[in-house]
Amino acid sequence: MLTVLGIETSCDETAASVVTLDDGGTPAIRSNAVLSQIEEHAAFGGVVPEIAARAHVEALDGLIAAALADAGASLADVDAIAATAGPGLLGGLLVGLMTAKAIAHATGKPLIAVNHLEGHALTPRLTDGVGFPYLLLLVSGGHTQIVLVRGVGDYQRWATTIDDALGEAFDKTAKLLGLPHPGGPSVERAAHRGDPRRFAFPSPMKGAERPDFSFSGLKTAVRQAASSIAPLSEGDVADICAAFQAAVTAALADRVARALARFSAEFPYIEAPTLVTAGGVAANRAIRDALQGLCRDAGFAFIAPPLALCSDNAAMIAWAGIERLRAGLGDGDGMDIAPRSRWPLDGTSEPVVGFGRRGAKA
Ligand code: KG4
Ligand code: ZN
């Protein structure tokens, strides 16, 4: 039996969780405490790094105590402490990593520094026991990537965004239209009432040979459409949101279809190929439905973890810690490990112009 305490503070969620793996290899999320800072940042239309770091300092101790209590565990029951060490906002990462170091030092338990993206990437193994290799579509506020997951610590990036992340595009569109932060859910809600055919927004990169994503041109098209008909009625806003969502869904579907075809060509012997999705944007119903349809057509299983495990949480960090321990990669992290605002999953992939510019969210 393995028991790991996970800590996540890379962006605007403070989170702590206890995850176990029993001797039969069955995992269990024993607790999953998350405190969102959305309220603190709402007035600024985005995450303010200093506010985030202070909020983590105030909340983290209490959340760790709550996570242990919910799990009916004490620090003595924990085999290791796993904390997000990057990528993300440095102030927040420092708070989580230093807290984890203090606990590790005081208890003599190992510290595992986890890449936040690895947490997202391995979540479908916690929820659905997916076997390697599989394809991951990571769509969040800071990342838009298609990654081949070959094993623990073994990733190959197949596509990334050359400018904005998809969640960022949702957030910027919402801001432009005067909808509340976070933008994704606001845009999705408005899109329900809108007519996607009223505006013909470009579906960026659609049909392009290069596998990457690009969303900044779409952002410009949205801005131009909005200013050409301002002042906007509620119906105008709904129509723009519907057209925006249709355009990004089509762009995503085009890129993902190519990746599925590449996976099938590279791994023809895999009988049950799987696409998994993670990141906050994976909560979007229209996007989920489109991905589901693509997978059905291509003979892939489609796995989207439950919403609470798609967006940022500490269960995925604890789980990545367990996976690393199990793979023998768990005790390499000494007390001198430092947080990293940038930390690509695939160390061999070429940096792409504009990619990770913000580097803040994952
Ligand atoms: O993974 P996540 O919780 O945090 C990080 O980015 O690390 O993702 C947050 C992002 C935000 O940009 C938010 O607007 C977007 O996910 N998002 C959505 C939806 N829910 C959250 N985007 C589109 N549709 C949604 N329903
Ligand atoms: Zn994330």
Side-chain angles (χ1 to χ4, degrees):
M1 172 95 160
L2 278 175
T3 303
V4 171
L5 169 67
I7 295 174
E8 158 62 38
T9 55
S10 67
C11 192
D12 57 348
E13 262 96 24
T14 318
S17 162
V18 175
V19 176
T20 56
L21 183 73
D22 72 18
D23 294 337
T26 305
I29 299 174
R30 303 281 300 281
S31 62
N32 192 11
V34 183
L35 187 70
S36 171
Q37 305 173 3
I38 284 178
E39 306 265 299
E40 272 105 314
H41 302 285
F44 305 94
V47 178
V48 183
E50 287 73 19
I51 294 178
R54 276 164 207 263
H56 288 307
V57 171
E58 277 162 27
L60 186 55
D61 287 1
L63 275 170
I64 291 172
L68 288 168
D70 288 355
S74 73
L75 284 175
D77 304 316
V78 166
D79 294 300
I81 297 101
T84 304
L89 297 170
L90 263 187
L93 291 170
L94 267 172
V95 174
L97 195 57
M98 292 307 288
T99 304
K101 282 184 186 180
I103 297 173
H105 184 67
T107 58
K109 315 263 165 136
L111 166 76
I112 306 174
V114 172
N115 182 318
H116 177 92
L117 304 176
E118 180 164 63
H120 281 305
L122 297 177
T123 298
R125 290 170 53 74
L126 166 64
T127 55
D128 295 84
V130 178
F132 298 121
Y134 55 89
L135 265 187
L136 164 74
L137 171 70
L138 175 61
V139 275
S140 72
H143 290 273
T144 307
Q145 302 186 2
I146 299 175
V147 176
L148 171 67
V149 182
R150 283 183 297 216
V152 180
D154 186 4
Y155 309 96
Q156 193 179 55
R157 196 182 71 203
W158 280 6
T160 187
T161 176
I162 58 170
D163 40 58
D164 292 348
L166 184 51
E168 197 178 359
F170 270 95
D171 293 339
K172 286 179 176 170
T173 297
K175 201 168 178 178
L176 185 93
L177 299 173
L179 297 173
H181 176 80
S186 306
V187 169
E188 180 172 16
R189 255 192 317 274
H192 272 305
R193 303 185 298 270
D195 174 6
R197 285 157 309 181
R198 180 163 159 211
F199 299 94
F201 291 141
S203 275
M205 309 291 267
K206 196 168 169 198
E209 269 315 309
R210 179 179 175 155
D212 291 321
F213 300 93
S214 166
F215 296 108
S216 72
L218 176 60
K219 182 179 62 191
T220 309
V222 169
R223 189 183 311 113
Q224 281 167 352
S227 60
S228 73
I229 55 165
L232 301 177
S233 69
E234 216 173 287
D236 295 333
V237 169
D239 291 344
I240 292 175
C241 288
F244 167 83
Q245 192 170 272
V248 297
T249 303
L252 212 55
D254 180 73
R255 308 284 84 191
V256 169
R258 276 163 196 271
L260 298 184
R262 178 174 168 189
F263 187 95
S264 299
E266 289 195 17
F267 302 98
Y269 48 87
I270 291 195
E271 281 174 13
T274 303
L275 172 75
V276 308
T277 185
V281 184
N284 187 285
R285 191 32 67 193
I287 289 175
R288 277 189 183 221
D289 289 349
L291 294 173
Q292 181 96 58
L294 273 183
C295 285
R296 202 181 314 114
D297 295 348
F300 275 61
F302 174 65
I303 293 183
L307 296 188
L309 296 174
C310 262
S311 52
D312 289 351
N313 65 87
M316 70 179 190
I317 303 304
W319 174 246
I322 288 181
E323 290 262 39
R324 293 192 81 79
L325 277 177
R326 202 163 49 162
L329 301 168
D331 6 87
D333 303 311
M335 287 293 169
D336 53 351
I337 188 129
R340 300 170 62 174
S341 60
R342 290 189 184 202
W343 184 2
L345 257 190
D346 173 358
T348 63
S349 60
E350 294 282 312
V352 171
V353 181
F355 159 71
R357 214 176 10 159
R358 222 169 44 134
K361 300 181 96 196

